[in-house]
Amino acid sequence: MMAVLRRNIHFWNIYITLVFNIVGLHFGSGQLNEITFRLQEQRPYGTYIGNVAVKSDIARNLSNAVFQTLTYNFLNPNSLQTASLFSINRRTGAIHTAAMIDRETVKRNDKEVCAFVAVCEIEFDVTVQSQNTSFLKIITVKMIIDDINDSPPTFEPNEIQIYVSESTNAGSKIPIEGATDKDTAGRNSVQSYEITSYKDVFDVNFVHKLDGSSSLKLVVLRGLDRELRDRYQFTILAKDGGTPALTGTLTVNMHVIDVNDNAPEFSLKRYNINVKETTAPNSVVGRVSARDNDAGKNARVLYRFSTLRTSKVEELFTLDETTGQLIVKKPLQYESGSSFEAVIEAVDKGETPQASQAILVVNIIDDGNTPPRVTLNLASSVVYSDTILLSEGSSIGTFVGRVKVEDTDSGKNGDVHCSSLDDHFSLNKLDAHSFAILIFKSMDREKKDKHNVTVICKDSGTPSLSASLSFIVQVTDINDNAPVFTSRTYIANVTENINRSVNLITVKATDADMGVNGEVSYTLSMDAGSMFSIDSQRGVIKANGAFDRETLNKMTFIVKAVDHSSDPRTGTATVTVNILDVNDNKPFFPPTPFKFRVPEDLKTAKRVGQLTAIDKDIGNNSALRYNTLSNDPSIPFIVFSDGTIRTERQLDREIQDMYTLDVFVTDNGQPPLYSNGTVFIEVLDVNDHSPTILFPNDDNNSVTLYSDTDPATTFATIEATDDDIGINAEIMFFITGGNRDNVFTIGRSTGEIQLTRTLTTNDEKDYKLTISAQDSGSPPQESQTLLIININYTNNTIAAAWTAEKNAHTYRIIAGIVGGVTFILSILIVSIILLIRRNDNARRDTEEKMGVQEECGKREMERRIWQEVNTEDIKAGFEGEKKGDKCYKPKLDKDRSFTIDPDRNTSDSFLSHATLDQYGKPEFFTFRKGHGPPFSEDVRSDASGETTTSDSGRGGSEEDIQLPPLPDLKGFSGSHQIFSVAIDENEEFSPQSSPQDIQERSRTLSTFSNPNMANKIALPPTTSFRDIHTIQDPTFRNNQRNQQKVRFSADSMAPGSRFQGNGKQTKLTKEFNGRTHVPIISNGEYYVKHDQSAFSHLGSYHSLPRSVDDDDNTTTSGSYTLNPDDFEEVFCER
């Protein structure tokens, strides 16, 4: 609101000033003026248009002081268009755009729109007023908006429907509304029209109108036939003349209106209809059919008898004019056996009716055998009563319709068979009275688009009677044909570097289908990129830009022709565009200069190297020639045209070792192109000089060496040079002669001569060394010289020689003493070893041999086993008891049982947890008597376990009679184990011996074996048992006191395990934490009942290993005897 108010105040100020000037104040200076500016539309906001002060030259009649006070304003700032489109600088008078101006929407004088106007001019006034004086001037500004091509032509509407009769003559013109273009200035308006398809049928003509529009007419180029094509759809393009040109499109749907130019056609030229004589009146006995290819009322057919030729048929029958049915008019029995012929007509309903004729033959059949009666029922897609549409893509076996047959005759007269006269169809019998019409062979619309199908049904009577019917199959198109190009491959050529669009080639494809299925559009594959384009309707392929053959010399892409079906098919062809070369690339050498290296002994005219340049062109444009720019006669090289560089004369590196050649290369193009290059040739050294020895020489060839010089001291240096370079100048030094005893050495690369050792008086007084200086070339070059070394022996050397001789005598004496002592010590060591060996053999000789004797008796003896018990175990069992002779003699009751009394304060020193040996077998031992060393002392030596052989009188000896292994004992689980028992010290154990036993003073212990064998083991003395660990169980003795007595009977003992006793009833006391698994002696037998779990708390006992006996079996055939004293050592404690 405030802005509007300020504008109004400003306006009135200007108005009052204007009126004041009009009445006479400075009237001459307020004269009006006109200026004109031009502005192109669509310029961005803020675009500079012009300056009012400059354009009007207002400063001409003003002083500079007044001119600087001028301000510029729009006279009518309330004009919305002026204010919205332009802005003016109040200080400078510069006018800019206030918005982007669209010429087609701008109004002239706030009324008329500039669209469709040749000149768009906007007029407004600008006031120029001084701030300090009364100067005022009004300038009229005319702003001309220049048009650009920013509006395409447009059709209103963009799609039209046109109806034209098929009888329209060629050259007829159909007016249609043209396109309009808001850009009406110059060539930006519509300049041309073009039809995109059906150019052989239609064309367009147009005329420009004064108002910028155009009058457009569609021209029919040739006659139309609705029966061939009843509809056309195409596009009209309107193009303006701008750059680039803009287009508008109009879709035209052309409908061809039918005219009655086709007469109806009967399905048969001759109809044979058989009618039984008994057929009742008003019965339909047949049907004729005709089809008209026209449309609408022109295709509606009426049937009638010919008016020019009458027949008996007309008296007997009626022909229905709409259906073509033949109806019995009156009885036929009086016409039996007669045939009648008539001419029938089919007439359409066009304005000028057209007609066709056929012959109708009616046969009156005797009732004895009547012809079959057939009726037809067609499937879906029926156009007329006798016409059906079938797609050409219908598969074989497709159902078309049903033929119903009626024949009241019997026997063969009623047996009817039907067939089709068109081989594309067949009839299959459904039941006794009907047949199915099926497609028998595929149809091809492109070969035949309509089939007149006649079905004949015959009976098997004599004569055979038949009936027929006809129908029309119109074959509809499917998109079963892909577009086909006229050529599989198209080849085009284009020259490189052409900067304009060029038509390369036109491709053409056809499609045998019809309608949209046969309309084709063209596209290019992605391989073409943006470099090529194609007119989708005409098939013209264009090149869109310049090509560079050196980048790409050929392009191959696919052009596609696609039909317009909903399920389109595509045809393809290959387009190859060859890009032709022009000489646009000059040859060039590699960026790195050529560098060649040649030996200095290279012969004349020999090849040095090859120049190579690259030219990206091809053909004659890339044929290259080489030459040199240098004319220096000192250069010993020649450059040939093929780029080969050869020597012109002999080289010498020592004179010059590097050459530089300026060369150039040119191609054979028109015009030829060239470039320059540089060649560096390095002359390589060959080993053509031998080393020159500077020292020693003929004038100075000797050195003096003092004898006390330290080894490795350099006292002379060989000096030599070589005119060659590199490895050929690397010199190595050798001493090739005169170096007796290798007193001297020379540095191979340094030439420094050094002593290898200290000189003595035994060495020479002078040495003449032959020195060789050899380079490292191939082959090497060598020079030799003579160096004389004079030795000056000093006093130190002489004194050192005398001292060395004295020390050598002392060392010989010491060596003799050390050798004698070593010999004596060796004799002593050997003597000690022999003495130890003899003592060992003597100890073995004192060992007693094991005695074996045979016990004979009449009683059958059983095998018994005795388990060893270590003496330490026995002592551990009686630990804490009263010392002295204690013999534990169990007493047997009369009932052959004994009692274990837990109340006794006894210790179980005989418990021995026997285990398997390391071989997993039960342990058993041989025993020996005597007073030799304890058995446990030597159980693993070579002589341990040896026994003397004893002949038992049974033909065996110790070496050849083996004791069988112990069998598994009944009542033992896991392993063969027998445990010793604790004997009550208050009971007696006094085995009663037989006279023989008393006399022999021995007791026998039998082992378990065959009852017929009496292998017995003598109980060894305690000294022959191996020591074992003492049971560490302090609770064991206390637990014995709290046990109750348990009585055992001999009957409850296991019969397998026995110990031979003396037959006296003996009572033993035994306790194992309440368990009673103890050995029992009763009635001369020693029973063992085993439960290993009862002794789990006793710890482990170690038994002798198997090596006590040499194998698993005892190798004697007799029995072992046990001395009673030894037996008492086991059961008694002393």
Side-chain angles (χ1 to χ4, degrees):
M1 189 66 181
M2 293 299 294
V4 174
L5 181 60
R6 283 194 297 269
R7 258 191 245 109
N8 290 336
I9 295 173
H10 180 70
F11 173 77
W12 284 111
N13 288 335
I14 295 174
Y15 181 76
I16 294 170
T17 303
L18 178 62
V19 172
F20 182 78
N21 281 279
I22 290 175
V23 297
L25 293 177
H26 301 286
F27 180 79
S29 64
Q31 185 179 359
L32 295 178
N33 218 357
E34 287 186 0
I35 60 174
T36 301
F37 294 103
R38 302 189 74 92
L39 172 66
Q40 194 178 66
E41 69 171 331
Q42 302 295 337
R43 303 298 292 174
Y45 164 82
T47 299
Y48 175 77
I49 301 173
N51 192 289
V52 173
V54 175
K55 190 75 172 179
S56 64
D57 198 18
I58 198 172
R60 175 181 297 179
N61 298 322
L62 296 175
S63 64
N64 185 48
V66 176
F67 179 77
Q68 296 297 328
T69 63
L70 296 181
T71 60
Y72 305 85
N73 293 287
F74 293 122
L75 179 60
N76 187 8
N78 293 327
S79 174
L80 295 179
Q81 177 168 281
T82 302
S84 63
L85 297 180
F86 307 100
S87 66
I88 187 169
N89 191 307
R90 296 181 69 250
R91 295 294 183 185
T92 63
I95 300 177
H96 295 78
T97 58
M100 181 180 288
I101 299 175
D102 185 3
R103 180 183 182 278
E104 286 72 30
T105 61
V106 171
K107 293 182 180 181
R108 297 194 306 168
N109 302 322
D110 295 337
K111 295 179 181 180
E112 184 182 4
V113 178
C114 285
F116 309 109
V117 177
V119 178
C120 180
E121 183 180 278
I122 301 174
E123 184 177 301
F124 55 87
D125 295 329
V126 175
T127 63
V128 183
Q129 184 178 7
S130 173
Q131 295 178 350
N132 298 333
T133 68
S134 60
F135 178 84
L136 173 65
K137 190 172 184 179
I138 298 175
I139 299 176
T140 299
V141 178
K142 291 183 179 180
M143 190 69 66
I144 299 175
I145 308 300
D146 293 330
D147 182 54
I148 65 172
N149 191 29
D150 60 339
S151 297
T154 59
F155 288 91
E156 291 295 334
N158 61 359
E159 184 173 359
I160 61 173
Q161 309 291 328
I162 298 178
Y163 297 88
V164 60
S165 174
E166 67 176 327
S167 61
T168 301
N169 296 324
S172 298
K173 297 180 180 180
I174 304 169
I176 56 178
E177 189 67 25
T180 59
D181 195 334
K182 294 180 181 180
D183 299 323
T184 57
R187 296 189 56 82
N188 291 339
S189 61
V190 176
Q191 298 298 315
S192 64
Y193 290 87
E194 179 183 354
I195 188 171
T196 60
S197 58
Y198 303 112
K199 295 183 178 182
D200 57 338
V201 182
F202 305 100
D203 198 359
V204 289
N205 288 338
F206 74 101
V207 177
H208 284 295
K209 294 182 180 180
L210 296 177
D211 59 359
S213 64
S214 56
S215 175
L216 183 64
K217 293 182 180 181
L218 184 64
V219 182
V220 179
L221 298 179
R222 60 179 176 83
L224 304 177
D225 189 349
R226 190 207 61 80
E227 286 70 33
L228 294 178
R229 193 179 191 91
D230 60 353
R231 182 175 179 273
Y232 296 87
Q233 185 183 57
F234 52 88
T235 301
I236 296 177
L237 294 178
K239 295 183 180 180
D240 61 24
T243 303
L246 302 179
T247 60
T249 60
L250 172 66
T251 300
V252 179
N253 295 300
M254 177 73 73
H255 302 274
V256 181
I257 301 173
D258 182 66
V259 296
N260 193 23
D261 58 346
N262 291 283
E265 293 183 6
F266 281 100
S267 61
L268 294 175
K269 296 297 184 182
R270 184 183 185 87
Y271 290 89
N272 285 286
I273 300 177
N274 298 316
V275 183
K276 292 192 299 181
E277 60 181 346
T278 57
T279 304
N282 299 321
S283 298
V284 178
V285 295
R287 181 189 177 195
V288 296
S289 63
R291 184 177 182 272
D292 197 324
N293 288 331
D294 293 323
K297 66 178 183 178
N298 295 331
R300 296 176 186 173
V301 180
L302 299 177
Y303 302 92
R304 68 188 180 188
F305 291 104
S306 174
T307 58
L308 299 178
R309 180 179 175 182
T310 61
S311 172
K312 183 70 172 178
V313 176
E314 296 178 39
E315 297 178 5
L316 299 176
F317 302 92
T318 299
L319 183 62
D320 189 284
E321 68 173 359
T322 57
T323 64
Q325 292 178 340
L326 188 64
I327 303 172
V328 177
K329 184 186 296 187
K330 58 184 179 180
L332 304 175
Q333 61 269 28
Y334 298 108
E335 306 294 335
S336 175
S338 300
S339 295
F340 304 97
E341 182 177 297
V343 177
I344 57 176
E345 292 182 342
V347 184
D348 61 29
K349 288 187 175 184
E351 292 181 1
T352 303
Q354 298 202 38
S356 62
Q357 295 181 338
I359 302 298
L360 173 64
V361 177
V362 179
N363 302 306
I364 309 300
I365 304 301
D366 185 29
D367 194 33
N369 180 20
T370 59
R373 180 182 178 184
V374 293
T375 57
L376 174 64
N377 293 319
L378 294 175
S380 59
S381 301
V382 176
V383 179
Y384 304 107
S385 59
D386 61 344
T387 302
I388 185 173
L389 298 179
L390 287 178
S391 170
E392 65 175 325
S394 300
S395 60
I396 295 175
T398 299
F399 178 74
V400 178
R402 186 184 73 161
V403 175
K404 187 176 181 181
V405 180
E406 295 180 7
D407 195 329
T408 58
D409 296 331
S410 61
K412 290 185 177 181
N413 293 337
D415 186 11
V416 180
H417 299 279
C418 298
S419 61
S420 171
L421 299 182
D422 192 321
D423 60 355
H424 287 84
F425 303 90
S426 65
L427 279 82
N428 288 1
K429 196 168 187 178
L430 296 176
D431 52 43
H433 303 290
S434 62
F435 293 83
I437 304 175
L438 306 176
I439 296 177
F440 180 73
K441 186 168 67 175
S442 298
M443 297 177 290
D444 190 348
R445 188 206 62 79
E446 287 71 34
K447 294 181 179 179
K448 188 174 182 181
D449 62 351
K450 183 172 68 175
H451 295 263
N452 290 321
V453 183
T454 299
V455 177
I456 297 179
C457 297
K458 297 180 179 180
D459 62 23
S460 300
T462 305
S464 175
L465 300 180
S466 64
S468 64
L469 55 86
S470 300
F471 63 94
I472 297 173
V473 175
Q474 186 69 43
V475 182
T476 60
D477 185 56
I478 63 170
N479 192 27
D480 58 343
N481 291 281
V484 178
F485 282 93
T486 56
S487 175
R488 298 287 297 175
T489 303
Y490 295 90
I491 298 177
N493 296 322
V494 62
T495 303
E496 65 174 330
N497 299 335
I498 296 179
N499 294 319
R500 65 181 186 276
S501 179
V502 179
N503 290 347
L504 296 179
I505 195 170
T506 300
V507 297
K508 180 69 175 177
T510 58
D511 195 319
D513 294 322
M514 62 179 296
V516 294
N517 295 336
E519 297 176 2
V520 176
S521 296
Y522 301 95
T523 60
L524 298 180
S525 66
M526 297 296 291
D527 298 338
S530 62
M531 303 177 69
F532 301 94
S533 62
I534 188 170
D535 188 309
S536 62
Q537 301 299 323
R538 296 185 299 153
V540 177
I541 299 177
K542 294 183 178 181
N544 294 329
F547 295 89
D548 185 4
R549 190 211 60 79
E550 288 72 34
T551 302
L552 188 66
N553 61 1
K554 180 174 67 174
M555 284 199 68
T556 301
F557 52 88
I558 302 298
V559 59
K560 300 179 181 179
V562 184
D563 60 35
H564 294 176
S565 171
S566 59
D567 183 17
R569 286 178 174 265
T570 303
T572 61
T574 301
V575 178
T576 299
V577 179
N578 297 315
I579 301 171
L580 304 180
D581 185 55
V582 296
N583 192 27
D584 58 344
N585 290 275
K586 67 178 182 179
F588 61 91
F589 289 109
T592 304
F594 291 97
K595 294 182 179 180
F596 301 111
R597 308 177 78 183
V598 295
E600 61 179 325
D601 60 349
L602 189 66
K603 303 299 183 182
T604 302
K606 292 298 181 179
R607 185 176 182 272
V608 174
Q610 180 70 43
L611 297 179
T612 56
I614 299 173
D615 194 322
K616 294 184 178 179
D617 296 320
I618 60 173
N620 200 45
N621 295 330
S622 64
L624 305 180
R625 291 174 299 169
Y626 301 86
N627 208 335
T628 178
L629 296 174
S630 252
N631 295 321
D632 187 355
S634 65
I635 297 178
F637 302 103
I638 300 177
V639 177
F640 291 85
S641 61
D642 63 349
T644 303
I645 302 176
R646 296 182 180 273
T647 57
E648 190 178 24
R649 57 180 179 270
Q650 184 67 42
L651 306 176
D652 190 345
R653 187 201 64 81
E654 285 74 26
I655 297 176
Q656 185 173 347
D657 60 354
M658 179 65 72
Y659 295 89
T660 300
L661 280 74
D662 294 323
V663 296
F664 71 94
V665 59
T666 181
D667 60 27
N668 288 336
Q670 292 299 326
L673 302 176
Y674 70 92
S675 63
N676 300 330
T678 303
V679 179
F680 296 99
I681 301 177
E682 180 185 358
V683 180
L684 301 179
D685 182 58
V686 296
N687 195 23
D688 55 351
H689 294 83
S690 59
T692 300
I693 300 176
L694 303 179
F695 174 82
N697 51 48
D698 293 340
D699 298 330
N700 183 13
N701 65 349
S702 65
V703 294
T704 299
L705 176 66
Y706 290 95
S707 62
D708 58 355
T709 301
D710 294 332
T713 299
T714 300
F715 62 88
T717 301
I718 307 300
E719 297 178 2
T721 61
D722 196 312
D723 291 338
D724 294 320
I725 62 173
I727 194 172
N728 296 329
E730 294 179 3
I731 301 175
M732 295 180 293
F733 300 94
F734 304 93
I735 299 175
T736 58
N739 190 14
R740 292 185 299 275
D741 299 329
N742 293 324
V743 176
F744 306 101
T745 182
I746 189 170
R748 180 166 296 187
S749 59
T750 62
E752 295 178 348
I753 301 177
Q754 299 176 347
L755 275 173
T756 60
R757 59 177 174 81
T758 302
L759 294 175
T760 65
T761 55
N762 296 327
D763 293 320
E764 301 291 337
K765 293 184 179 180
D766 55 69
Y767 291 86
K768 296 181 179 180
L769 302 182
T770 302
I771 305 299
S772 172
Q774 179 178 315
D775 62 28
S776 299
S778 179
Q781 300 275 1
E782 182 185 20
S783 297
Q784 290 187 351
T785 187
L786 180 67
L787 176 64
I788 300 173
I789 301 175
N790 298 312
I791 308 300
N792 187 352
Y793 289 95
T794 64
N795 295 331
N796 292 336
T797 302
I798 298 172
W802 182 83
T803 302
E805 180 65 22
K806 181 179 179 180
N807 290 339
H809 179 70
T810 304
Y811 293 152
R812 285 193 290 270
I813 295 174
I814 294 173
I817 295 173
V818 171
V821 171
T822 302
F823 177 73
I824 294 172
L825 290 176
S826 299
I827 294 175
L828 291 176
I829 291 171
V830 171
S831 300
I832 293 171
I833 292 173
L834 294 177
L835 179 61
I836 293 172
R837 184 67 178 173
R838 185 185 64 180
N839 292 338
D840 184 63
N841 291 336
R843 181 181 60 82
R844 292 185 181 182
D845 292 339
T846 60
E847 293 181 353
E848 293 185 0
K849 302 295 183 177
M850 185 68 73
V852 179
Q853 75 177 54
E854 180 179 354
E855 178 184 73
C856 300
K858 297 180 179 180
R859 288 191 306 167
E860 183 178 354
M861 302 297 293
E862 294 182 356
R863 296 186 65 187
R864 301 291 188 266
I865 185 169
W866 175 259
Q867 174 68 29
E868 68 158 323
V869 180
N870 195 282
T871 55
E872 295 298 327
D873 294 337
I874 299 175
K875 295 178 180 180
F878 295 99
E879 185 178 337
E881 298 292 335
K882 183 180 178 181
K883 302 299 181 179
D885 270 346
K886 295 183 181 180
C887 189
Y888 306 97
K889 301 176 181 180
K891 297 180 180 180
L892 298 179
D893 298 337
K894 294 180 179 181
D895 55 358
R896 298 176 52 135
S897 63
F898 66 92
T899 301
I900 297 176
D901 187 3
D903 295 334
R904 298 282 185 176
N905 185 14
T906 62
S907 62
D908 192 357
S909 63
F910 289 92
L911 289 178
S912 175
H913 187 183
T915 60
L916 297 177
D917 66 1
Q918 62 267 35
Y919 299 99
K921 297 182 179 181
E923 294 180 335
F924 56 93
F925 310 95
T926 58
F927 301 98
R928 56 195 176 92
K929 296 193 300 180
H931 302 285
F935 184 74
S936 60
E937 291 180 1
D938 184 14
V939 295
R940 289 181 173 83
S941 66
D942 295 336
S944 63
E946 293 181 356
T947 58
T948 59
T949 57
S950 176
D951 190 2
S952 63
R954 297 182 180 179
S957 67
E958 181 180 355
E959 288 78 7
D960 57 11
I961 299 177
Q962 297 184 354
L963 181 67
L966 292 176
D968 292 338
L969 304 180
K970 184 176 181 181
F972 283 67
S973 63
S975 60
H976 302 309
Q977 301 178 8
I978 297 179
F979 303 93
S980 60
V981 299
I983 307 301
D984 191 341
E985 60 180 339
N986 298 322
E987 298 291 339
E988 289 184 348
F989 183 80
S990 53
Q992 300 296 325
S993 301
S994 62
Q996 295 85 352
D997 294 335
I998 296 173
Q999 183 178 359
E1000 295 174 6
R1001 300 295 296 170
S1002 66
R1003 192 163 298 281
T1004 301
L1005 177 64
S1006 299
T1007 61
F1008 295 102
S1009 184
N1010 192 313
N1012 297 326
M1013 299 181 66
N1015 297 330
K1016 301 174 183 179
I1017 303 173
L1019 185 66
T1022 57
T1023 56
S1024 66
F1025 287 107
R1026 182 184 178 188
D1027 294 339
I1028 60 174
H1029 297 293
T1030 305
I1031 300 174
Q1032 301 296 332
D1033 189 354
T1035 61
F1036 180 66
R1037 183 183 304 273
N1038 296 331
N1039 291 337
Q1040 294 182 57
R1041 305 179 186 276
N1042 301 324
Q1043 303 300 323
Q1044 300 296 324
K1045 293 183 178 181
V1046 181
R1047 292 187 60 83
F1048 294 84
S1049 63
D1051 296 336
S1052 65
M1053 300 299 107
S1057 302
R1058 299 180 180 180
F1059 178 80
Q1060 182 79 12
N1062 61 356
K1064 181 178 179 180
Q1065 185 176 11
T1066 307
K1067 182 172 71 174
L1068 296 175
T1069 299
K1070 183 69 181 75
E1071 55 191 9
F1072 298 137
N1073 280 341
R1075 301 180 180 269
T1076 56
H1077 303 280
V1078 296
I1080 303 168
I1081 297 177
S1082 178
N1083 197 20
E1085 294 181 342
Y1086 185 78
Y1087 293 90
V1088 177
K1089 187 155 182 77
H1090 171 65
D1091 185 356
Q1092 186 172 353
S1093 63
F1095 311 107
S1096 61
H1097 66 286
L1098 299 179
S1100 61
Y1101 288 78
H1102 297 283
S1103 60
L1104 287 174
R1106 183 173 297 275
S1107 58
V1108 173
D1109 197 2
D1110 292 334
D1111 50 29
D1112 290 333
N1113 301 318
T1114 303
T1115 57
T1116 59
S1117 60
S1119 62
Y1120 293 92
T1121 58
L1122 182 63
N1123 193 298
D1125 296 334
D1126 296 334
F1127 186 83
E1128 290 182 359
E1129 288 179 0
V1130 176
F1131 289 94
C1132 300
E1133 181 180 4
R1134 293 179 172 82

